[in-house]
Amino acid sequence: MNETRTYRYTTPEPPESATGVTADVYAQLAADLGFEAAPTFVVLSAAPPLLTATWAVLRESLLAGVGSRVDKEMVAAGVSLTNRCPFCVDAHTVLLHATGEHGLADTVAHGGEPADPRHGRLLAWGKRMDRGRPFPAGHTPGYVGTGLAFHFINRIVSALLTENMLPGGDRKDRILRGMADAALSRTVRREVPAGKSLPLLQTTGPAPEWAGDSPVGAAFGALRAAAHLGAGLLSEEDAAYVRRSVAAWDGVTPLPLTGDGLPDRGERPGARLALLAARAPYRVTDEDVAAWLVPPHTDHCLVHLVAFGAICAVERVESALTGAAPAAAPARVGESA
């Protein structure tokens, strides 16, 4: 498995050959986010229900949701820093440059403390996502949706993409600033109408209370439903094990690589891979994937299994944020994943 590739373990179809709902998502990506065929979404193209729902949550919260775009980028950057996802931190740095906040972008890129206390509070809240929310209650769908979206996206990226694709040092800083060109700067400043991604959704699920009646709720419900399809790739025992392990996790402590915390690769490769995706996606190795990704499993299956682990972690964060228990597991769907 070639670590120099963007896609570590899958071979997505070229974006230019996309049709149907996948092409529709790529078109909205280009128009609303400013990135054409972003690898974060291309890697999900093997599973259109996940692709459409992940895009919808990000679009309806970060781009179209209530609240300042710069402030929500700070939340997203905080989440990405906590989850050790340099690819996503770089993306938020580029987008902050595009808004004209060059000093703030450089601060985030280098792990510094923002000069503006409000930005500092938002960055810190993104890192921990507790109940002390530094934004108006009416902006909850935008800010909480953004934070949870990136808890999911970070895990997809860390498990399935090559994270460090840019050189380090001053050269990297110049590249990141250069990526925020005039076209991207215009995109991040324009108003994005809410709800336009919802017709693309291929799954449905109950909206969480924190989202109210906003489009973020429908998008998050769809993502939860699509991601839980991956449980059907595991035995009932293994799926329950992953859920219990993540529910009991404090959301911070790294997952032990040996001992009782992580199933053996040779005996329970699917449970091991899903649990790594949830609790330490940056620790997924070639050997972990190779142990499970054998026929009849395909790219489609791998994306769904990683998404199952990721949504378990998202629900763990959500439960700590809201004080509610994680959502009950949906009925098993077996081969639907």
Side-chain angles (χ1 to χ4, degrees):
M1 298 179 188
N2 186 352
E3 290 283 348
T4 65
R5 298 172 51 200
T6 299
Y7 307 101
R8 295 174 65 190
Y9 307 117
T10 64
T11 307
E13 290 293 324
E16 58 269 20
S17 67
T19 59
V21 72
T22 301
D24 293 338
V25 169
Y26 291 163
Q28 281 196 355
L29 267 168
D32 295 340
L33 187 59
F35 293 118
E36 294 188 10
T40 303
F41 295 95
V42 175
V43 77
L44 293 172
S45 63
L50 284 170
L51 170 65
T52 55
T54 303
W55 165 240
V57 173
L58 181 145
R59 184 191 186 279
E60 302 305 331
S61 59
L62 176 66
L63 308 185
V66 291
S68 157
R69 174 66 183 272
V70 170
D71 288 358
K72 287 185 288 184
E73 289 287 353
M74 295 305 297
V75 169
V79 171
S80 299
L81 286 164
T82 286
N83 289 331
R84 308 184 196 183
C85 186
F87 182 104
C88 292
V89 173
D90 286 349
H92 298 303
T93 300
V94 170
L95 290 166
L96 284 169
H97 277 303
T99 67
E101 293 281 357
H102 301 299
L104 186 57
D106 290 338
T107 296
V108 168
H110 292 281
E113 181 67 23
D116 185 328
R118 187 182 82 260
H119 290 151
R121 289 191 294 272
L122 290 162
L123 184 67
W125 184 81
K127 291 178 179 179
R128 63 179 186 265
M129 283 196 72
D130 59 15
R131 298 189 201 181
R133 305 174 192 180
F135 47 82
H139 291 182
T140 295
Y143 286 86
V144 171
T146 294
L148 295 180
F150 282 96
H151 270 291
F152 185 82
I153 290 169
N154 290 167
R155 288 168 167 82
I156 298 297
V157 168
S158 291
L160 299 178
L161 301 184
T162 301
E163 291 189 347
N164 293 300
M165 293 193 293
L166 294 175
D170 292 341
R171 185 182 173 198
K172 179 176 180 178
D173 290 342
R174 291 194 299 272
I175 291 172
L176 291 173
R177 185 176 290 221
M179 291 172 68
D181 60 15
L184 184 58
S185 296
R186 288 193 296 272
T187 300
V188 300
R189 287 177 168 84
R190 74 180 185 83
E191 183 176 350
V192 177
K196 295 293 186 179
S197 66
L198 301 188
L200 304 178
L201 294 173
Q202 299 190 316
T203 49
T204 59
E209 289 188 10
W210 54 260
D213 60 357
S214 73
V216 179
F220 190 84
L223 178 60
R224 196 195 306 270
H228 273 292
L229 293 174
L233 295 160
L234 300 174
S235 68
E236 291 186 11
E237 178 186 3
D238 278 354
Y241 177 86
V242 172
R243 290 188 176 104
R244 285 197 306 271
S245 174
V246 178
W249 178 41
D250 63 6
V252 177
T253 304
L255 181 68
L257 292 178
T258 59
D260 295 336
L262 189 62
D264 182 80
R265 184 184 298 128
E267 296 177 1
R268 302 168 72 186
R272 178 186 178 95
L273 188 53
L275 195 52
L276 281 169
R279 293 184 52 180
Y282 46 85
R283 288 181 172 172
V284 170
T285 67
D286 292 358
E287 292 76 17
D288 292 320
V289 174
W292 184 81
L293 190 57
V294 296
H297 297 146
T298 62
D299 287 3
H300 169 84
C301 300
L302 177 61
V303 169
H304 266 291
L305 184 63
V306 170
F308 169 61
I311 200 65
C312 288
V314 169
E315 290 174 338
R316 175 66 182 86
V317 174
E318 182 189 25
S319 69
L321 179 65
T322 63
R332 287 176 58 81
V333 294
E335 68 278 2
S336 296

